Amino acid sequence: MESRRLVYALLIGAAAPFCLSALQAHQAPSAPARASTHVPKEQLLKPGPEAEHYVVVSDAGKHGDMWRWPLADGRIAFRHSQSLRGWITETDATVRYAADGRPTEIIVRGITPSGDAAESYVEDGGNARWKSIADSGAAPVGKKLYLPAGGPGLINARLIEHLVAAGPAGVELLPSGRASLTMAGTLAIQGPAGPKTVKLAFMRGILSSPVPVWLDENNKYFADVGWLSLMPAGFEANAKAMRDMQDAATAAEVRSVAHRFLTAEAKAPVLFDNVQLFDADKGVFVKNQAVLARDGKIAAVGRAGSIALPAGARRIDGRGKTLVPGIWDSHMHIGDDWDVLANVANGMTSFRSPGTMLDRAQSVTTRRASGDLLMGEPFISAIVDRKDPLAAQGSMTVTSEAETIAAVRKIKDAGLWGVKFYTSMNPAWIAPAAAEAKRLGLHVHGHVPATMRPLEAVRAGYDELTHLNFVVMQAMPKEIVDKANTAERIAGPARVAKDVDWNAPEMRAFIAELKQRGTIVDPTLVIFESMLTMDGGTPAPAYVPYMGIISPVLDRAFKAGGYPLAEGFTRDDYRKSYGKMRELVGLLHKAGVTVVAGTDGSGIELVRELELYQQAGMTPAQALQTATIIPARVVGADKRTGSIVVGKEADLVLVDGDVSRELGALRRVVTVVSDGYVMDAEALRKAAGYTGKPK
C-alpha cells in the first residue's frame, strides 16, 4: 500500500478510502462490514447527458466512471461506477453548498469493496454532525471544511478551490487537521477540443508529505494522477506525462533531504557499544556486544568495551538497546519519494517491490545510486497480466504466449530482479514464460492465476507464492479457485478457510512438496488480520503505535473495519478463517518452507507481521530472520548484507528495547545505518513528516 494511494482512493473514491491493509492495491481494501444495508445500484442516481464525465484509468486500461451534475433543488449530484479487478464500487452522493462554497450537507450511498458506503454530514446552527464508515462525531463548524471519508472523489473538488483561495494559511478540516496548497508549475496537454494548460499543485496537511493534484487554467480541480488516475473523459492519454511531471517535482523536493543525510560526515566511523546484538545467521541474541562500522562496512564485532574507538569516530552507547541488521520488507511496492524516505526512517534498508512499473523502477534505482534519493536497496519485479477488464492496474498486459515471453525479456532488459504473474493470466502461458524468466536469471513469483491451484503454479515454474490467500487456494473449492481474479480471492478464503484441515493427507503432501521444491511463501498475514478480524471503530493492531504521528486523515482511516461479511456469515466466522490462515504460516515454517516477511502496505505494518509470526509459533529470533537474513538469501545478497558480520555492508538498525522479549521494540528506531551512512531516526522521521515516535 504506498501511502500516496490512500489519497488517490480518497479523491477518486477508488476501491475504498483508507485501505488499512492494502493501499497496495493488489488485495482488497477494508472497512466496516455493512454490505447487507447498502442502497443497491438500481436505486442510485443516474447521470444525464448534461453530467460532467470523468474516467478512472491506469496503465492497464479503464476501470470506472464518475459523473457530476446539478439537481433542480440546488444540490450537486455525484455518481461513481467501477470494477477494479473484480472489486465493485457503485456509489452516489448529493452535496448542498453554502453561498461561500462550503458543503453544509453531504449524503453518500451505495457499496464499495469495503461494504456499505453510507456516510452523512450535516450542519445545523453552527454545529456539524457526521457519520462515516470509520467514525462519527460532532463539532462546531466555524470556517472548517469537512473531508469525507469516502464517496465519489469529485466531492472533494470544492476543497481544492478553497485551498487555492486560502493561500499559505490553508483551511482547517473536520474532523481534524489543516490543509494548504502550493503551486508547482504548468503543463500543456491535449484534449478533445485541442490544447489545454493544466497546473500541478501539492496539498499539504492531508498526509505527512505533500500530495499532488491537478488544476485547470481557472484554478478549478482538474484531475488526480497516480496508480489510479481520475481524468476528465477524453484526457486519459495525458496521464503518463502528468505523472512524470509530478514525480519530477517530488524528486526535486526530496533530493535536498537525501543530500542532507547522505554526507561525508554521516559516513564517518561509528562504534555501537554495550548493545544486545542480533546474530541473524545463527538466529540468536547476544548481549554486551560492540560493533564498529567504517568505510561503509562492518569492520569489527566483539565484546562490549573491547573495540578501540578510531580517530574521528563517534561512539553510541547501546545500553538498553538492540542492534539488528537492516530490516527488509519483502512486499513493499515503491511509493513516491516521500514514502521510501519514511521507510528508511522506520529502519528499512532493503526491500522487495513485487510490482513496479519499469520507468519508475529505473528512475528510483538511478537516483538512489547517485545519492539523490534516500531509499533502501530495492529488488524490483514487474507485473505481467493478461489483457482483460480484470487485469492488474500498473501491469504489463499481454494477449499471447509470445507476448508474455517478450514481456519477460523486457523486464530483464530493464535491469529488474523478477517477474510477477497475476490472476488473469492464461495458465497455459505460465510454464513457457517462467522457463524464459529462469533462463534469464529472473525470480518468478506472483498471484496464482484463476483456475490454477498454487501447486500447479509451483510446478509450472513459480519460485514463490505471493499472499497467503493464494496458498490457501490449494484447499478451496473449484468455484472459488476459478474466480480467483475477482473478489473471491479474499471472500472465498474468508468464508471457507475456517473449515480446512491442514493435517489432511492432501494438505500435508502439499506443504511437503513446497518444502521439497524450495518454494518461498510471502504471506502478508497482517493484511488478513485487518480484513478478517476487525469490526471498525478502533484501529487495527498494526496501526495503533502510529496513531497521532503521521496524519489526522490516517488516524481516521486506521479506525475503519474489516472485510464485508457474506450473507449467513459472522465476523467470528471470518476470525476463525484468519486463525486457520495464521496456523498455516506456523505449519509452513515448521515444515521448513521458507517464509519472508512482507506487508503489501506502507511499511509501518512490518513489525506487526513479525508479531503475528510469533503468534503462529515462531520465536522472536525466527520471526526477525524472515525480515533480515532470509530475504537477503532469497535475492542472493546474503554474502554482503542481511546479518552483522565483519566485511558485510554496514546496514544496521539500533532500536530502543529488548527485541528478544518484545518484537514491538523494532518500531522504536533510534539510529539507522544504510550503506555506512549513520542517520538519526528522529531526524529522518521529522523529514518524512512524522510528528512523533511510534509507541
Side-chain angles (χ1 to χ4, degrees), residues 536-552:
T538 57
Y543 303 103
V544 171
Y546 299 91
M547 294 289 289
I549 68 168
I550 303 179
S551 156

Side-chain angles (χ1 to χ4, degrees), residues 462-476:
Y462 272 36
D463 298 306
E464 176 181 351
L465 296 168
T466 301
H467 300 302
L468 196 63
N469 58 310
F470 288 108
V471 183
V472 172
M473 284 293 167
Q474 189 68 28
M476 293 295 99

Side-chain angles (χ1 to χ4, degrees), residues 187-474:
L187 180 69
I189 62 174
Q190 292 291 324
K196 184 179 183 69
T197 298
V198 292
K199 303 177 181 181
L200 173 63
F202 284 92
M203 294 184 292
R204 299 171 191 270
I206 299 292
L207 292 183
S208 57
S209 55
V211 177
V213 65
W214 289 86
L215 315 181
D216 66 12
E217 301 96 325
N218 301 312
N219 289 333
K220 306 288 188 183
Y221 171 83
F222 180 74
D224 280 283
V225 177
W227 68 288
L228 284 179
S229 297
L230 180 62
M231 307 284 294
F235 286 90
E236 302 92 309
N238 297 286
K240 185 180 186 305
M242 294 166 71
R243 187 173 67 226
D244 288 346
M245 180 174 172
Q246 70 187 35
D247 285 350
T250 297
E253 188 167 355
V254 179
R255 185 181 302 122
S256 63
V257 177
H259 291 176
R260 191 163 80 242
F261 286 96
L262 303 177
T263 64
E265 292 78 12
K267 215 164 188 179
V270 60
L271 174 64
F272 295 95
D273 211 351
N274 299 307
V275 296
Q276 175 176 248
L277 181 148
F278 178 59
D279 184 333
D281 292 309
K282 295 179 180 178
V284 296
F285 292 91
V286 186
K287 295 184 180 298
N288 302 317
Q289 294 293 291
V291 176
L292 174 66
R294 181 171 52 199
D295 299 325
K297 303 287 186 179
I298 298 170
V301 178
R303 291 179 293 102
S306 69
I307 301 175
L309 186 68
R314 67 175 125 162
R315 179 181 179 276
I316 296 177
D317 190 348
R319 285 186 176 88
K321 299 178 177 64
T322 304
L323 188 68
V324 304
I327 301 299
W328 292 64
D329 189 323
S330 285
H331 198 126
M332 167 57 59
H333 298 273
I334 297 174
D336 77 1
D337 290 359
W338 293 108
D339 294 325
V340 295
L341 169 62
N343 291 336
V344 175
N346 288 315
M348 191 184 302
T349 63
S350 303
F351 66 98
R352 298 190 314 161
S353 178
T356 297
M357 291 177 285
L358 299 187
D359 56 348
R360 177 65 175 159
Q362 292 172 318
S363 170
V364 298
T365 302
T366 299
R367 290 185 292 114
R368 180 183 185 274
S370 70
D372 286 339
L373 177 62
L374 186 48
M375 179 179 77
E377 183 180 6
F379 295 83
I380 304 171
S381 303
I383 298 174
V384 179
D385 205 359
R386 181 171 57 91
K387 190 172 182 59
D388 185 273
L390 298 174
Q393 67 280 4
S395 63
M396 303 169 65
T397 54
V398 295
T399 62
S400 67
E401 177 184 313
E403 286 186 11
T404 306
I405 292 172
V408 169
R409 292 171 179 162
K410 188 173 182 180
I411 291 168
K412 176 64 176 180
D413 291 343
L416 273 60
W417 172 75
V419 56
K420 178 181 180 181
F421 295 119
Y422 218 75
T423 47
S424 287
M425 280 292 293
N426 184 333
W429 304 342
I430 296 295
E436 179 66 4
K438 292 184 177 184
R439 186 186 74 80
L440 296 172
L442 293 173
H443 185 76
V444 179
H445 57 152
H447 296 200
V448 178
T451 74
M452 287 186 91
R453 294 190 186 273
L455 196 53
E456 294 174 304
V458 168
R459 290 169 177 171
Y462 272 36
D463 298 306
E464 176 181 351
L465 296 168
T466 301
H467 300 302
L468 196 63
N469 58 310
F470 288 108
V471 183
V472 172
M473 284 293 167
Q474 189 68 28

Side-chain angles (χ1 to χ4, degrees), residues 330 352 464 520-524 594-598 609 613 626-627 630-631 634:
S330 285
R352 298 190 314 161
E464 176 181 351
I520 302 153
V521 174
D522 167 23
T524 62
T594 299
V595 173
V596 290
E609 181 82 6
Y613 293 174
T626 70
I630 292 176
V634 166

Side-chain angles (χ1 to χ4, degrees), residues 45 78 110 125 137 139 171 226 259 261 337 347 413 529 564 629 663:
L45 296 170
F78 303 84
V171 173
H259 291 176
F261 286 96
D337 290 359
D413 291 343
E529 181 185 45
I629 190 61
L663 284 168

